[in-house]
Amino acid sequence: MKKMMIALVAMFVMTMSANAQSENNYSKLTFDRLSSYLDLRVDQRESVKTAMAQFNSSMEAYYQLNDASKGGEAWEKIQARHKATMKKILSEKQYNKYIQMLDLTVKNTAERIMDETIATR
């Protein structure tokens, strides 16, 4: 069940990131809000943009995997790699805020997917 939830969350995140990439204004607004929330310094902005692009690219590759037996494991690796990258870029305070935001987003997404799954049954 946990692996299914992780796979569903990952697919949802992937869909959202693909939509964000296709809509430049939305993507810029999202990044501007993230920058403001984390209070990024000018020298951090490009590094965070690059890290987010790599995360989106990894999520696209994950989405193409379509192998449920490896889905949870792949998602865990992608997330761990992304968190390690962000930890190198951000200060401790910024990183803690980012992790809280990421974890809350994943939790809310999982709950929404479960609610939608239950509603369609």
Side-chain angles (χ1 to χ4, degrees), residues 4 9 16-17 28 33 46 59 71 79 84 91 97 117:
M4 185 176 104
V9 169
M16 294 305 291
S17 68
K28 182 178 176 347
R33 287 181 179 168
E46 279 305 311
M59 290 304 297
Q79 191 174 21
S91 70
K97 285 174 76 172
T117 301

Side-chain angles (χ1 to χ4, degrees), residues 3 16 19-20 23 25 46 48 60 75 79-81 90 102 107:
K3 287 184 179 184
M16 294 305 291
N19 288 339
E23 301 174 16
N25 289 337
E46 279 305 311
V48 170
E60 287 176 22
W75 166 247
Q79 191 174 21
R81 187 173 54 238
L90 303 173
L102 182 64
K107 178 182 177 269

Side-chain angles (χ1 to χ4, degrees), residues 51-92:
M52 296 303 290
Q54 289 171 343
F55 181 65
N56 288 339
S57 177
S58 295
M59 290 304 297
E60 287 176 22
Y62 171 80
Y63 182 73
Q64 298 300 320
L65 181 64
N66 274 337
D67 184 351
S69 65
K70 295 180 183 175
E73 184 180 314
W75 166 247
E76 297 282 334
K77 286 181 182 178
I78 291 168
Q79 191 174 21
R81 187 173 54 238
H82 177 66
K83 286 180 178 181
T85 300
M86 294 300 281
K87 189 169 189 163
K88 290 177 186 175
I89 299 168
L90 303 173
S91 70
E92 185 176 341

